Amino acid sequence: MRDSIMKWAGSAAFVLSLAPTAMGCLAEGSVVYVPIGRDTGTVTQTWSIGGRFDPSLCRTYGADRMELVIRDMSDRTVARAYQPCREMQMSVKLPEGTYKGDATLIARDGSEVSTTLELLPFRILSNTDTPVDTDFPTSSMLTVLSVDAVASSAEVDDEAP
């Protein structure tokens, strides 16, 4: 009996270790655990800085990449995805369900260059893309690498949603 349980557990662990690779996550560096047989959809997060979708603002504030942490409603992390800041969007495949998450802009050295923004809860439906828009008001930015770039850019809305 014990041997059959050990064989089953070993097989299950192997299959689960392949799940993130087999699902073909779209975001760079994402880790998602999808139970076998679950229907999936996609969340596509877009982000702006100061209300503008301007990739040069990533450089201005020293943001190398976006970190998106997605949790289920039990507060368990189900995905941690990264995308270059200049892309201004990323997509992550998830099983059907309701999720919440946090978005943070990260510097090349791994330090945070923005406060962490809490995303509103969102629902994933099978074979559907769910858009989630995020704006980092300039007041949420913790660093400025190029004061000249900020001064010469068009007016920025500090209170953008």
Side-chain angles (χ1 to χ4, degrees), residues 74-148:
S74 299
D75 220 28
R76 291 177 300 200
T77 299
V78 296
R80 183 177 304 269
Y82 298 90
Q83 185 77 351
C85 180
R86 69 184 176 278
E87 298 294 323
M88 308 301 281
Q89 75 172 19
M90 77 169 84
S91 295
V92 179
K93 187 183 278 189
L94 294 167
E96 284 188 321
T98 303
Y99 299 91
K100 53 189 174 179
D102 297 317
T104 310
L105 293 172
I106 306 291
R108 186 175 302 265
D109 67 3
S111 63
E112 295 178 356
V113 298
S114 73
T115 59
T116 298
L117 301 180
E118 188 175 319
L119 305 179
L120 293 173
F122 58 93
R123 179 134 180 86
I124 298 295
L125 300 173
S126 179
N127 299 317
T128 303
D129 183 58
T130 303
V132 174
D133 297 326
T134 308
D135 180 66
F136 290 90
T138 54
S139 61
S140 73
M141 304 308 290
L142 304 174
T143 61
V144 176
L145 293 185
S146 173
V147 176
D148 292 335

